[in-house]
């Protein structure tokens, strides 16, 4: 273990010294080694994860791909940036564009629809796998209210550490995943796929993703499962868009990281990129044996450890090449990922069981009729009575002034009563909106205090 720690120290001191020069595509292996060194009690979880891969990659060359069920997973993006970084990607409007293009890339690449498959070398073509997982923006929040499927959190932090956090596991960009450290709290991670868009403090690291298995397995915080990716590699660059990292502007950092989320290892195995060996393996039956990572855009073929036909499958999403040079998951990889969400034994199965979260909530404002509610006297000198002819209980009443500012909110003494009196005599004279929030919906009326 000592030599591994030394190697990690070198890798990370390298990142510090070259901070803006060196791009580190992913630190999944480095994170896992550090986590297991600190918490050897988590090793059984990692062993179980690798056993899960072996069980579900049951694909033998020449056989047809196992049938995979189509599933859709609710996604929420937590964009946690300071105001300078937010401006660099075009502010709120830029975020909205990136959310859309990122979702399109995910649904394309995880459903066998990328045109890049035409460029797969002939020797690998028959191995191309369709994962059959779709992603949808969540439109209902955990509290039942509506959401566009992303939130922008303006932080004072300039970057979050990948391996030296201060809360939670203190690793895997943990500080980005808790509001108390200037990040954003996960939404119920058993129902939502949480994705954090951040800057990292150690330099140009593109992504990290603790897989669902580690959260389910116990010990590792469930609130930290899910990818955190560099904000300049979020989404696919459009014709007039700026603020992307060259080579990593096709939205595929997240494709790679979600491979980890659904339990895949790197194609060369589980040792850190660059220090790999020919004995280590990713556990997938139909990926060629590979020593270590490839970068940029290699020329085919590159001979591999075992001199198998075609050599290294560097165009696989679980290698480290440029976005434009990625072309495929294999059938074996697709089987593992699909089983992870569509099989009840899969770690991420619960994410496929909440399709209602993809819909906007429907109850608010649709049940209560205007004529059901009367507020009198109006104008009033202070005390008002709300008469409710609907059977829905009144939960609370919110008063806003003409500037839209909430000035007071009061709960009724008996929510089930048909008549509720409130004293507003402390408010200045003027026009106000009274929002009555019932269990079945909301109704707003204007009143005048004189
Ligand atoms: Zn990776």
């Amino acid at each position: 273990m000592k030599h591994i720690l030394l190697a990690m120290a070198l890798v990370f001191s390298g990142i510090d010294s070259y901070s803006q020069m060196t791009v580190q595509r992913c630190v999944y292996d480095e994170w896992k080694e550090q986590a297991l060194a600190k918490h050897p009690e988590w090793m059984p979880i990692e062993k179980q994860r690798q056993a899960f891969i072996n069980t579900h990659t049951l694909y033998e060359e020449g056989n047809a791909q196992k049938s995979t069920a189509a599933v859709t997973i609710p996604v929420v993006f937590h964009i946690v940036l300071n105001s300078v970084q937010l401006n660099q990607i075009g502010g709120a409007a830029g975020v909205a564009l990136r959310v859309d293009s990122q979702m399109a890339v995910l649904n394309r690449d995880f459903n066998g629809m990328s045109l890049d498959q035409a460029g797969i070398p002939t020797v690998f073509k028959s191995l191309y796998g369709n994962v059959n997982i779709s992603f949808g923006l969540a439109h209902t929040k955990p509290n039942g209210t509506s959401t566009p499927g992303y939130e922008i959190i303006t932080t004072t932090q300039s970057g979050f550490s990948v391996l030296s956090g201060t809360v939670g596991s203190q690793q895997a960009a943990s500080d980005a995943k808790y509001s108390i450290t200037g990040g954003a709290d996960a939404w119920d991670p058993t129902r939502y796929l949480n994705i954090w868009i951040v800057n990292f403090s150690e330099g140009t690291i593109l992504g990290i993703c603790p897989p669902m298995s580690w959260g389910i397995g116990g010990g590792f915080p469930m609130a930290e499962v899910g990818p955190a990716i560099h904000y300049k590699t979020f989404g696919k660059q459009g014709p007039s868009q700026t603020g992307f990292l060259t080579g990593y502007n096709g939205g595929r950092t997240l494709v790679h990281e979600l491979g980890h989320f659904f339990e895949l290892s790197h194609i060369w195995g589980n040792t850190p990129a660059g220090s790999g060996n020919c004995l280590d393996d990713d556990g997938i039956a139909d990926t060629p044996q590979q020593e270590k990572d490839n970068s940029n855009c290699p020329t085919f073929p590159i001979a591999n450890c075992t001199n198998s036909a075609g050599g290294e499958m560097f165009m696989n999403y679980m290698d480290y090449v440029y976005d434009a040079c990625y072309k495929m998951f294999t059938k074996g990889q697709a089987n593992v990922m699909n089983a992870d969400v569509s099989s009840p034994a899969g770690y991420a199965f619960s994410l496929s069981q909440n399709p209602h979260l993809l819909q906007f909530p429907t109850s608010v404002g649709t049940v209560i009729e205007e004529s059901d509610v009367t507020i009198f006297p109006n104008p009033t000198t202070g005390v008002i009575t709300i008469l409710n002819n609907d059977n829905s209980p009144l939960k609370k009443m919110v008063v806003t002034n003409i500037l839209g500012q909430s000035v007071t909110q009061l709960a009724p003494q008996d929510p089930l009563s048909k008549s509720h009196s409130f004293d507003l005599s402390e408010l200045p004279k003027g026009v106000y909106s009274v929002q009555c929030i019932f269990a079945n919906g909301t109704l707003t009326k204007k009143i005048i205090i004189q």
Side-chain angles (χ1 to χ4, degrees):
M1 188 57 75
K2 195 181 261 179
H3 67 282
I4 293 173
L5 292 175
L6 178 63
M8 283 170 48
L10 289 173
V11 166
F12 282 94
S13 64
I15 289 169
D16 282 333
S17 357
Y18 300 118
S19 62
Q20 297 309 311
M21 309 281 293
T22 308
V23 170
Q24 175 93 350
R25 209 188 211 306
C26 174
V27 289
Y28 173 82
D29 293 326
E30 290 80 0
W31 155 68
K32 213 163 50 182
E33 283 206 347
Q34 192 197 52
L36 291 172
K38 190 174 170 187
H39 296 280
E41 72 275 16
W42 293 349
M43 185 55 91
I45 300 171
E46 172 61 10
K47 293 285 183 209
Q48 274 180 16
R49 186 191 74 82
Q50 294 183 16
F52 180 84
I53 292 176
N54 291 330
T55 306
H56 292 283
T57 185
L58 297 176
Y59 167 77
E60 292 169 12
E61 218 165 322
N63 289 353
Q65 182 176 3
K66 288 196 298 183
S67 62
T68 53
V71 293
T72 304
I73 291 179
V75 171
V76 55
F77 293 100
H78 308 282
I79 292 102
V80 187
L81 298 173
N82 67 26
S83 52
V84 173
Q85 293 154 357
L86 195 55
N87 282 336
Q88 286 171 345
I89 60 169
V95 168
L97 285 174
R98 279 163 166 81
V99 167
D100 283 351
S101 66
Q102 185 64 75
M103 292 298 287
V105 169
L106 294 182
N107 283 320
R108 181 195 69 194
D109 288 352
F110 278 85
N111 287 281
M113 294 192 290
S114 170
L115 298 179
D116 294 333
Q117 61 187 285
I120 297 172
T122 307
V123 65
F124 295 144
K125 272 193 193 300
S126 65
L127 302 178
Y128 182 82
N130 178 359
V131 186
N132 226 348
I133 296 176
S134 296
F135 303 88
L137 290 168
H139 286 313
T140 297
K141 282 187 189 177
N143 68 4
T145 59
S146 68
T147 170
Y150 63 93
E151 57 176 6
I152 300 174
I153 309 289
T154 308
T155 183
T156 54
Q157 304 291 324
S158 59
F160 295 95
S161 170
V162 165
L163 294 180
S164 304
T166 59
V167 292
S169 73
Q170 304 185 338
Q171 296 169 335
S174 63
D175 287 6
K177 298 177 175 179
Y178 295 97
S179 55
I180 51 168
T181 36
D185 294 324
W187 295 3
D188 179 356
T190 65
R191 296 191 295 151
Y192 299 86
L193 169 53
N194 290 274
I195 298 169
W196 288 267
I197 310 302
V198 302
N199 189 39
F200 297 111
S201 58
E202 283 102 339
T204 313
I205 290 168
L206 302 195
I208 174 70
C209 180
M212 194 84 169
S213 57
W214 277 51
I216 297 284
F220 186 83
M222 193 66 190
E224 294 177 30
V225 299
I229 67 166
H230 191 292
Y231 68 112
K232 288 187 175 177
T233 188
F234 172 43
K236 183 185 177 187
Q237 187 166 17
S240 58
Q241 275 182 291
T242 56
F244 284 84
L245 289 171
T246 304
Y248 308 102
N249 56 352
R252 280 172 163 165
T253 293
L254 196 51
V255 175
H256 174 104
E257 295 303 332
L258 288 178
H260 291 312
F261 183 76
F262 300 122
E263 309 303 339
L264 296 188
S265 301
H266 288 131
I267 189 167
W268 60 86
N270 294 293
T271 43
S275 62
N277 62 63
C278 280
L279 298 175
D280 186 30
D281 184 58
D282 63 356
I284 302 288
D286 59 356
T287 54
Q289 196 71 15
Q290 186 168 321
E291 183 182 1
K292 57 181 177 58
D293 64 301
N294 290 288
S295 56
N296 302 342
C297 220
T299 304
F300 178 82
I302 296 176
N304 70 336
C305 297
T306 53
N307 281 319
S308 61
E312 300 198 339
M313 189 189 275
F314 58 78
M315 68 298 300
N316 190 284
Y317 290 121
M318 300 317 288
D319 205 327
Y320 275 5
V321 297
Y322 283 156
D323 280 5
C325 308
Y326 277 141
K327 299 189 188 334
M328 66 187 294
F329 288 116
T330 65
K331 288 183 168 70
Q333 289 173 320
N335 284 345
V336 168
M337 290 190 280
N338 190 272
D340 192 44
V341 284
S342 69
S343 153
Y347 294 109
F349 179 67
S350 63
L351 296 180
S352 65
Q353 301 302 300
N354 297 281
H356 61 283
L357 297 176
L358 301 165
Q359 310 298 323
F360 284 104
T362 52
S363 62
V364 175
T366 57
V367 177
I368 307 297
E369 299 283 335
E370 171 83 17
S371 56
D372 285 341
V373 177
T374 310
I375 300 179
F376 69 92
N378 189 14
T380 174
T381 53
V383 176
I384 59 167
T385 297
I386 297 175
L387 267 188
N388 172 22
N389 290 318
D390 190 89
N391 287 325
S392 183
L394 180 66
K395 291 161 71 177
K396 67 176 174 180
M397 173 209 65
V398 180
V399 181
T400 53
N401 63 21
I402 54 170
L403 299 175
Q405 297 160 326
S406 171
V407 290
T408 188
Q409 48 181 296
L410 299 165
Q413 289 181 335
D414 175 11
L416 295 174
S417 169
K418 296 279 182 196
S419 170
H420 311 275
S421 291
F422 298 98
D423 186 354
L424 303 177
S425 55
E426 305 250 304
L427 296 176
K429 291 176 183 174
V431 179
Y432 294 88
S433 291
V434 178
Q435 186 187 29
C436 305
I437 301 174
F438 299 93
N440 286 355
T442 298
L443 191 85
T444 302
K445 297 209 166 193
K446 288 231 175 340
I447 62 164
I448 298 171
I449 298 178
Q450 61 182 22

